[in-house]
Amino acid sequence: MALNIILLGPPGAGKGTQAARLVAKRGMVQMSTGDMLREAVKAETPVGQQVKAVMAAGELVSDAIVSALIGERLDQEDGKGAIFDGYPRTQAQAEALDLLLAERGRRLAYVIELEVDEAALVERIVGRFTCAQCGAGYHDSFAQPAVQGTCDICGAHEFKRRPDDNEATVRTRMAEYRAKTAPILPYYEARGLVRRVDGMADMDEVSRGIAAVLDG
Ligand code: AP5
Ligand code: MG
């Protein structure tokens, strides 16, 4: 049966990095509300116009907007299991997700918490960049392209950085995580769904930890 999982962790914990690997290895579908919102901002849709300033400030956008995006994506998805990346982020979103899944006869298999040391996260985030063409993720110190200035995946030469990846905004994003997102863990703990993986290990080790949960 297709496994639906949540990757939970603060900004820079490695949710997007590990989700991309699960997509490549297992054909699961990544559902990143951050990516969906950035696409909406880029396309200047009504939702994009509404959320642009909130995202730039590092605050959370409204529960209704993100839950609607996830509902739409669940209806398009092809059934190999969903990876929720950056969603849910509040108790209301956690409850909305349960409903969205139940309405479709699906349920959560695991909530994988990437445990990280906050002090290291600012460095991870301010050093992050992606290929402007295919979106492959890189890092100034931890994951440079094999050939400097050329994307390993598609060969493009242009890269971009997120407007919210500066130190001041990262601090706000972390405060939002502590205040609103970390408190949803007990909701899942009570159902025995939480598994913890050391997010400070190198990326391959983190992937092995996640695989051990999914295959275990
Ligand atoms: P979102 O896009 O979800 O950002 P985030 O949660 O702040 O998380 P990041 O994407 O920054 O980190 P990540 O865990 O994906 O780390 P990554 O793998 O890139 O949200 C952005 C904004 O959108 C929010 O602030 C909010 O405004 C809005 N939003 C989104 N969802 C919302 C919701 N549900 N409700 C309300 N508002 C919402 O890794 C980071 C870097 O570290 C990379 O460069 C990577 O190469 C490197 N790295 C990764 N793993 C390792 C490792 N093991 N060792 C060394 N380096 C590593
Ligand atoms: Mg991400």
Side-chain angles (χ1 to χ4, degrees), residues 11-12 14-17 30 32 34-35 38 85-86 128 162 173:
K15 304 180 296 291
T17 301
Q30 178 183 11
S32 160
D35 288 349
R38 279 184 288 280
D85 158 9
R128 170 172 62 186
R162 276 167 48 177
R173 285 158 57 195

